[in-house]
Amino acid sequence: MSLRFVSSTLALLFVCGEGREESGELPAVAKTIAGVPVRNYNLARAAPKLADGTPAAWTKWILVLKPNVSDSHLQQFCTGSLCVCALQGHPSRGGVPFVSVHCSENDMEQVLLAHPGHAEFIEPNIQLSVVPAMPAPPQEGQKSQLSASWGLDRIGEPECSRRGEGTHIYVLDTGIYVQHEDFEGRAIPTLDVSSGTLVECHGDLNCAVDRMGHGTHCAGIAAGKQYGVAKGATLHAMKVLSDQGSGEFSWSISALDWVVSFGERPAVVSMSLGGAGRLSSMRTAIDAAATAGVTVVVAAGNEQSDACTFTPAFVPSALTVGASEISDQPAPYSNWGFCVDMYAPGSGITSAWIGSPLATRILSGTSMACPHVSGGAALLLGEHPAWNSGQVRAALLASGEKGALRNLWWFFWTNVLLSVRDATVQVAHDEALEKPGLSWTSVAAFCAMVSFVSIAAGGIVGFCVGKGFALPGIGHSHSGRELLHNTAAEMVESQEITESAEVMP
């Protein structure tokens, strides 16, 4: 059975299950400005309001342009208008073709009319936040540890001879306390976008400073000497969130663009942050990073909900990580579903903290699970620096511990726990491109059945497709996930997303 037939069947099931008719056009309620589609326009309604409750006159937008635009064109986009272009990408260097724009809809319309045919879509520049840390549970019955954190023992770090030397982990977060002893001088202040303006640090210790602690904790898990996975990797502080742990999506998009355009290789991006909804602009940015060979690892989120309804967790080219507990069960707070690619330890994780070079803290969350996988990716790239993001993903999934998690809600969700043991990574790369799973016929039959009962749960796309789940031969290959996602899920992305614009709690 051909991939095209199966993907078309899934798309058809989605349409039937949702009671919609695919017309190939945006729904009637879709918003446009100067003929350019505005995706997730309902999220723009979360903008500040005046005292009488009417929307404020200003708003913030992310404008994504056609892939063939140049850097110079982006620089001139707001010239002569009442709009302010705050951040922009570097498409001439392979970066993200975007501009963050501050202005009203009327002024945006004038800008677009002055540059006809250059815009792909517009999206509200909403807020995002760190994935919040959860209370650390008591680790009852814990065996004696070889490492400073039980999570390192569980993924086999003591049995790993690789250190990730020569690799670069870009931590997009609240900054890093680079003076902490666990970093051994391998943490570098690199970029600070938390003011809404991009600032290159050039090693300035007063730049990208972590005053919250979240970014330092995540960095320690990824590559700290005691608490980290890739103990030889270089860490880059990329401050894309304020000292309160919040920010705008354009800040993270700008940082991703910078990594693609100016960052060192081989590179891993670690993002323990997110917000509700499926923002196409973030997908564009992560896709650009993946195309450039950068592996992007993201947290699934702590809402006990479907990860496919959060950004950046839904993005197919990102590696989305759920959290596990010491009992080898999914953490009760962890988001779940087909958009979760693998799991890693996330509850009761010890790592570096701010305040002193020896400070530590125990935190829980998918924020802690994500950097375990980021470190694992760096270990692979240390041995195979020419590998692209798809090869890193395939090797991580192939070397992961299959069936390790108990009490997953659905047997067909991905059940892979990160493993970095030397014995498990000696898997041929081409073997990692296929993930054993259900047969084509059983998958099609199952999805047909689910389509009749999944309307209230978000439809067949979220339930049977997600990011391209364990379909044999395509479930965890980048091309296979893209095939399924582009065939069916884009039908959802073309419509207004109903999730709240509030930052994650």
Side-chain angles (χ1 to χ4, degrees):
M1 187 178 295
S2 70
L3 298 181
R4 183 177 300 276
F5 175 81
V6 172
S7 60
S8 299
T9 301
L10 291 174
L12 179 60
L13 288 171
F14 163 72
V15 174
C16 294
E18 288 291 271
R20 294 193 193 97
E21 179 180 353
E22 182 184 8
S23 64
E25 298 177 352
L26 292 172
V29 296
K31 172 73 175 179
T32 64
I33 300 177
V36 178
V38 182
R39 299 184 180 178
N40 292 312
Y41 181 68
N42 62 303
L43 300 184
R45 296 171 189 159
K49 291 180 171 55
L50 300 176
D52 61 359
T54 59
W58 61 270
T59 189
K60 300 180 180 180
W61 309 96
I62 298 173
L63 176 60
V64 176
L65 290 94
K66 305 286 187 182
N68 59 350
V69 300
S70 65
D71 292 5
S72 60
H73 193 105
L74 292 185
Q75 293 166 3
Q76 301 169 8
F77 211 81
C78 291
T79 302
S81 75
L82 295 178
C83 294
V84 176
C85 288
L87 297 167
Q88 67 176 56
H90 299 83
S92 297
R93 302 178 64 97
V96 186
F98 92 102
V99 182
S100 66
V101 183
H102 297 188
C103 64
S104 67
E105 289 187 28
N106 290 337
D107 292 334
M108 171 68 81
E109 182 177 23
Q110 297 307 309
V111 169
L112 294 173
L113 291 174
H115 300 270
H118 289 96
E120 189 79 30
F121 63 88
I122 311 165
E123 207 157 36
N125 187 11
I126 67 170
Q127 282 195 311
L128 78 166
S129 67
V130 296
V131 175
M134 309 302 291
Q139 303 301 316
E140 298 178 359
Q142 182 171 329
K143 299 178 180 179
S144 59
Q145 291 184 187
L146 298 174
S147 308
S149 169
W150 76 265
L152 297 181
D153 284 354
R154 184 61 187 89
I155 66 173
E157 189 277 330
E159 302 168 50
C160 175
S161 61
R162 295 156 295 133
R163 293 175 50 84
E165 285 98 340
T167 63
H168 300 267
I169 302 177
Y170 292 86
V171 182
L172 274 61
D173 212 291
T174 59
I176 298 176
Y177 176 50
V178 299
Q179 295 94 332
H180 198 287
E181 285 191 0
D182 207 39
F183 300 136
E184 305 177 293
R186 292 178 288 110
I188 303 171
T190 302
L191 200 73
D192 194 331
V193 202
S194 61
S195 66
T197 301
L198 188 147
V199 177
E200 294 184 0
C201 297
H202 301 293
D204 181 1
L205 296 181
N206 294 314
C207 184
V209 176
D210 185 8
R211 298 181 179 89
M212 182 184 185
H214 189 272
T216 298
H217 198 274
C218 293
I221 297 169
K225 177 184 178 181
Q226 281 188 286
Y227 307 106
V229 179
K231 301 181 186 300
T234 298
L235 289 159
H236 293 268
M238 310 284 284
K239 187 166 184 174
V240 299
L241 298 170
S242 70
D243 295 335
Q244 291 71 46
S246 62
E248 297 176 358
F249 269 106
S250 63
W251 300 357
S252 293
I253 292 172
S254 183
L256 284 165
D257 169 80
W258 191 93
V259 173
V260 172
S261 304
F262 305 105
E264 299 187 70
R265 302 289 191 274
V268 178
V269 168
S270 190
M271 302 176 67
S272 293
L273 46 76
R278 297 159 59 102
L279 266 69
S280 300
S281 52
M282 180 58 78
R283 180 181 177 183
T284 298
I286 294 178
D287 285 351
T291 299
V294 177
T295 299
V296 180
V297 185
V298 305
N302 296 347
E303 288 71 27
Q304 307 176 49
S305 186
D306 184 358
C308 293
T309 63
F310 290 86
T311 300
F314 86 96
V315 177
S317 54
L319 210 164
T320 302
V321 186
S324 66
E325 298 190 314
I326 196 170
S327 60
D328 280 349
Q329 298 189 84
Y333 52 78
S334 180
N335 285 353
W336 37 258
F338 293 121
C339 287
V340 176
D341 296 298
M342 69 187 314
Y343 286 82
S347 293
I349 303 299
T350 305
S351 185
W353 196 247
I354 60 174
S356 82
L358 297 175
T360 63
R361 184 160 293 189
I362 300 175
L363 296 178
S364 298
T366 56
S367 282
M368 288 66 249
C370 169
H372 279 92
V373 177
S374 301
L379 293 179
L380 289 170
L381 287 169
E383 284 193 319
H384 307 281
W387 273 10
N388 61 37
S389 60
Q391 290 170 307
V392 172
R393 171 199 297 278
L396 284 170
L397 291 168
S399 61
E401 189 175 337
K402 313 300 188 300
L405 295 165
R406 300 184 290 112
N407 299 327
L408 274 178
W409 285 7
W410 298 97
F411 74 92
F412 39 79
W413 285 353
T414 299
N415 190 338
V416 179
L417 183 70
L418 174 68
S419 174
V420 299
R421 295 174 177 85
D422 286 341
T424 63
V425 297
Q426 306 303 317
V427 180
H429 174 59
D430 53 356
E431 292 180 4
L433 293 178
E434 292 196 10
K435 178 180 184 297
L438 306 174
S439 68
W440 288 111
T441 52
S442 63
V443 167
F446 174 77
C447 288
M449 176 187 68
V450 170
S451 67
F452 292 103
V453 296
S454 63
I455 295 175
I460 198 70
V461 167
F463 203 82
C464 275
V465 177
K467 292 170 66 174
F469 66 117
L471 296 177
I474 72 169
H476 291 285
S477 69
H478 179 71
S479 60
R481 289 153 58 94
E482 288 299 297
L483 173 63
L484 287 174
H485 201 277
N486 291 338
T487 302
E490 281 187 356
M491 291 158 44
V492 171
E493 291 179 357
S494 68
Q495 306 188 35
E496 293 193 326
I497 306 301
T498 59
E499 281 77 17
S500 166
E502 296 178 357
V503 298
M504 302 177 74

